[in-house]
Every structure is written in C-alpha cells, then in structure tokens.
Amino acid sequence: MRRTQLELWPSVAEYFVYDDLLYHALAHDERRNHSYKVAIRQTVRDKVVVEVGTGKEAILARFCVEAGARKVYAIEIGDEAFRDASALVAQLGLQDKIELLHGDATKGRLPELADVCVSEIVGPIGGCEGAAVLINDARRFLKPDGVMLPARSVTKIAATTMPDALLMNPGFNEVPGSYASRIFNEVGRPFDLRLCVKNFDSTQLISGVAVFEDLDFNKPIPLEETHSIEMVVEKDARFDGFLVWLNLHTIAGEVIDILEYEYCWLPVFLPVFDSGVRVSTGDRITATIERRLCDNGLNPDFRIRGRLLRTSGATVEFAHDSLHHEAPYRGTP
C-alpha cells in the first residue's frame, strides 16, 4: 500500500539545478550507496580511479578511498560544487588520496591513466543526463583493461493507469514547482517538462514490462538508436500512459530498481492519452522507441510511436514525444 499520496515532480536530472536539497538526497540515499559500495569494494583496491561529476560531497570518491583505492581523480564542472567538495576533502584530510579537478570532463586530461571510472551520470531514464556521450568520452581516461562503474543502465517501461484525483487536478506542489521554474529559467522559456512521480504504487502498472533503453557502459554506447517493444495488458483498466524507470546495475549481480524501494531517483510518467483508453486483459501494445540526441549534442530526446491491438481486432494508434527542451509549452491536451 502506498504510504502517501502520489506527487508530480519535474525530472531534474537533466538540468543544472542541483542544490543542497538534491545533493543531500543523492549523498544520503542509503540503498543507492550500498549498491555502489558493493561494486566499488570489488573493484578499486590499490587502483587508480577517476570519478566524473563528483558533486559537492564527493561521496563516490570517498567510498573509493574507504575501499582502498590508491588514488582518486574527481572531476567536477560546477563552481560551487567544486569549492564545497575541495573544502570537504581538505577537512577530512584526504588531499593525498583525492585530487579534485575543476572543469568539463570532456575537455580535461588526467595526470595518469585510471583503472576504474566511477560516475553517477544517470537519471530516472538512465541516459537522460547524457550518459552515453559522457561515458563514451570518459573511456579515454582508462587503461585498455579499465572498468566502468556502474556497469549498465537498463530503463524499463510498462503501461500504467493513474489516480483520478491526480489526472483531474494535475500540478506541482511548492518544492517541485520551484524546480520547474528554475529549469525554465535555465532553458530560457517554459516548455512541456518530463514528469516524474513520487510515491508511485507498482499495482498501478497494467501490462508486462519491456526495455525502454539499455546502455552497456563497458563498451562503446550507440548515441542514437531505434528499437521495437511489445507488451501484453494484464488487467482490465484505463490506459493513461507509460511508466519508465531505472534499473541500474552497479556491477554484475547488484541492481538498483527504483520501483522496488524509494530512491533519490523518481520514475517518469509519459502521459500518452489525455483522458485514458479502456483496455482489457490480453490486449497487446506494440511500439517503436527512438532515441536521438537533441540540439545540444548531449541529452537525448525520446519518441514513441505505437498501436494498441485489442483482442477484438480493433486498433488504437498513439504517439508521444519526451524531449529534453524543445517540446512546445502546453502542446497537447
């Protein structure tokens, strides 16, 4: 049973709006941290590590030191996050183990090649922050047998129904609304944001599960891709859209499924139908999912084109675009 009411948030991972609240949520997500520690403990002892995007608490760099890494090079592009991380590393007396590097990871170099690259450049849709571009580039920091942590990002998709109360009166509460405003300010205009849902109840899923995106970080990642999916409806319900959520494999056998427990990541809701479509057990959903880089060459846009195939033989066509920043504002019902 869901403990509290479902709440809408903008997807913040793709934008430079991180503040104390969001950094704290990342650094103090105990289940997330446990999964990273499992991977790090198996990998970094006596090794040279590079961390891409260390954040203000340099949390993964510190985990690497605790696990016996010989040296950690931690790269951070944000001015404030770099200053805070530098101060914390100095306060903890870890300057000999953690060397902070300030700047864009795609433009920098390391004093030496690393054995392991650790990062947390993943969002609720694994690649939405630009993981494919950034991790492909970070491979140049590694020795030929170097290892990427996390190892893989598999984003899942399933059809869902949403509570009537939410659909009849959608909107952001004060805190998520403030992040929506900051995202609009960063982009320079309002647009149709990608929506996340907090406190989602997995019993609201109405179909089997398919793969929305699959990024294997230990080999070159295709920057753009198209694939087909098929799901079978498992209950009589109203089909409102799709839920999309992260399964992060920090290392083989260690998976973060953000629907299984509450994590700092929130699943994404793609509202395909403005008033829902009734479906029955056995109906099939087929679709093509397209991932293309947006005009900044970093963040992906996603487009879904599909068909609901009823057991009666009738069909319903649908389409949905989930774009990084180019969507029109209030462009659909």
Side-chain angles (χ1 to χ4, degrees):
M1 181 180 294
R2 195 171 63 242
R3 295 189 300 274
T4 54
Q5 187 174 3
L6 191 148
E7 181 181 22
L8 290 176
W9 275 69
S11 181
V12 298
E14 307 96 305
Y15 308 97
F16 292 104
V17 296
Y18 277 80
D19 58 11
D20 288 347
L21 176 64
L22 297 181
Y23 277 127
H24 184 273
L26 280 170
H28 298 275
D29 184 335
E30 292 184 4
R31 287 194 175 96
R32 164 196 175 269
N33 289 347
H34 170 76
S35 290
Y36 267 97
K37 284 180 176 180
V38 169
I40 286 168
R41 286 169 182 161
Q42 293 182 36
T43 314
V44 306
R45 179 166 296 279
D46 299 323
K47 301 292 179 62
V48 175
V49 179
V50 58
E51 185 192 1
V52 178
T54 194
K56 66 182 298 178
E57 297 199 33
I59 190 72
L60 298 185
R62 289 157 51 198
F63 290 165
C64 290
V65 171
E66 291 170 8
R70 177 167 62 83
K71 183 75 174 184
V72 181
Y73 297 100
I75 306 171
E76 174 56 48
I77 192 171
D79 295 341
E80 183 178 352
F82 174 78
R83 288 194 299 268
D84 289 346
S86 297
L88 180 60
V89 168
Q91 178 186 335
L92 297 174
L94 297 176
Q95 303 100 312
D96 61 328
K97 291 288 188 178
I98 301 175
E99 182 173 334
L100 273 294
L101 303 174
H102 188 202
D104 184 342
T106 65
K107 296 180 172 63
R109 295 185 179 277
L110 296 184
E112 58 183 315
L113 291 178
D115 302 287
V116 182
C117 177
V118 298
S119 65
E120 202 275 309
I121 316 168
V122 289
I125 298 174
C128 67
E129 285 191 52
V133 173
L134 295 172
I135 291 179
N136 275 353
D137 178 79
R139 195 162 283 107
R140 65 192 170 84
F141 294 138
L142 292 177
K143 297 173 183 176
D145 59 348
V147 174
M148 288 285 182
L149 301 180
R152 194 177 199 125
S153 162
V154 181
T155 305
K156 301 293 185 68
I157 181 172
T160 187
T161 186
M162 285 291 176
D164 292 338
L166 180 77
L167 295 180
M168 294 298 293
N169 187 31
F172 295 127
N173 292 331
E174 181 179 357
V175 173
S178 70
Y179 287 106
S181 297
R182 291 168 63 181
I183 292 168
F184 290 160
N185 289 336
E186 184 202 317
V187 172
R189 55 179 168 75
F191 61 99
D192 287 347
L193 287 158
R194 192 171 286 152
L195 296 174
C196 289
V197 285
K198 187 175 182 179
N199 304 316
F200 183 82
D201 184 344
S202 59
T203 63
Q204 293 166 216
L205 298 179
I206 63 171
S207 76
V209 177
V211 173
F212 184 81
E213 179 196 68
D214 186 352
L215 306 181
D216 184 344
F217 296 141
N218 277 297
K219 62 184 182 182
I221 305 165
L223 299 182
E224 300 186 327
E225 202 165 47
T226 300
H227 71 283
S228 298
I229 61 170
E230 181 171 336
M231 297 170 284
V232 177
V233 175
E234 296 178 342
K235 62 178 78 172
D236 297 351
R238 186 185 65 224
F239 177 18
D240 292 320
F242 294 107
L243 195 80
V244 179
W245 71 97
L246 176 68
N247 276 221
L248 186 65
H249 300 248
T250 55
I251 201 167
E254 185 64 34
V255 183
I256 295 171
D257 182 339
I258 68 171
L259 277 195
E260 187 175 357
Y261 297 104
E262 183 175 321
Y263 286 93
C264 55
W265 296 283
L266 301 176
V268 173
F269 172 53
L270 304 179
V272 176
F273 299 105
D274 62 308
S275 56
V277 172
R278 299 303 305 185
V279 292
S280 302
T281 303
D283 289 351
R284 290 188 299 124
I285 300 165
T286 64
T288 298
I289 299 172
E290 180 185 85
R291 171 169 55 93
R292 295 287 180 268
L293 293 181
C294 75
D295 58 10
N296 67 14
L298 176 66
N299 301 95
D301 291 334
F302 298 94
R303 292 176 172 85
I304 304 176
R305 301 291 181 268
R307 177 180 296 175
L308 170 66
L309 307 170
R310 300 189 185 279
T311 54
S312 66
T315 64
V316 178
E317 306 281 342
F318 63 85
H320 182 79
D321 294 340
S322 182
L323 310 181
H324 177 254
H325 63 242
E326 286 303 319
Y329 187 44
R330 297 175 177 170
T332 68

